[in-house]
Amino acid sequence: MIKSSAALIVLLVFLTGCVSSSVNRPDVSVDEEVARLKQLGFRQVTRRSDGTRILRYSGRMTRAVECRQGSGSFAPIPSRRRAANGQSETISLDAYLKLSPGADGVLSNHERDGIYIVTIKTRGGGASSLRGIKFGPRGQDTFRSGLTCRAV
């Protein structure tokens, strides 16, 4: 039930165009970007005649997202880890991306749209909790714990 509700929320936010801007990406052909994302586990769900591609990912953390604690360096994080308090954390990613290249097939920074949702499920000590953050292809967000994540 939680997973289907989360998927509906992700889709709703994606369709309303909720995106934050802060990370710049280089121009690249849409075919190269789709190939890169597929290597990271994304799957293409739509390819329109105007060149727009819709991709989706749902599952364990992938190298499509990097995180950092505090002011440390961004790096990929494992999908399972132990928190400092000994509790077990499972980290997952849900992402929907819309790539809309220009007529030349090149994808510039402003032609990337979508949403990334990183969720941490914590278990231990007889209790569990679920926390999440969301950001766009050019953005980042921070958990209360200080863990900041961004799209790569």
Side-chain angles (χ1 to χ4, degrees):
M1 177 72 176
I2 290 175
K3 189 160 182 130
S4 63
S5 296
L8 287 173
I9 290 169
V10 169
L11 184 58
L12 178 63
V13 172
F14 172 70
L15 292 175
T16 59
C18 177
V19 182
S20 63
S21 296
S22 66
V23 178
N24 287 323
R25 307 230 357 140
D27 292 355
V28 65
S29 84
V30 70
D31 291 330
E32 289 176 35
E33 184 67 355
V34 168
R36 182 185 77 84
L37 290 166
K38 283 183 174 181
Q39 287 179 335
L40 296 172
F42 283 75
R43 65 182 176 85
Q44 182 174 294
V45 294
T46 303
R47 180 178 183 165
R48 297 191 332 213
S49 60
D50 67 356
T52 297
R53 315 279 181 94
I54 306 292
L55 292 99
R56 181 177 191 280
Y57 179 87
S58 183
R60 301 172 71 119
M61 269 306 261
T62 177
R63 296 179 72 86
V65 170
E66 292 181 338
C67 301
R68 72 177 180 197
Q69 191 68 45
S71 61
S73 299
F74 280 99
I77 62 171
S79 57
R80 291 210 168 131
R81 65 183 192 170
R82 276 255 174 243
N85 62 6
Q87 292 183 322
S88 170
E89 293 182 335
T90 303
I91 306 169
S92 60
L93 172 66
D94 288 286
Y96 295 85
L97 301 177
K98 178 181 175 186
L99 308 177
S100 304
D104 58 359
V106 173
L107 188 65
S108 67
N109 194 43
H110 70 277
E111 295 167 324
R112 304 166 198 264
D113 199 1
I115 187 167
Y116 290 78
I117 296 178
V118 177
T119 306
I120 299 177
K121 184 174 186 175
T122 304
R123 290 185 186 180
S128 66
S129 67
L130 188 64
R131 300 171 315 236
I133 58 172
K134 66 181 182 345
F135 48 92
R138 301 172 309 272
Q140 63 185 31
D141 199 1
T142 304
F143 286 94
R144 281 190 222 155
S145 67
L147 182 68
T148 300
C149 298
R150 69 178 184 187
V152 177

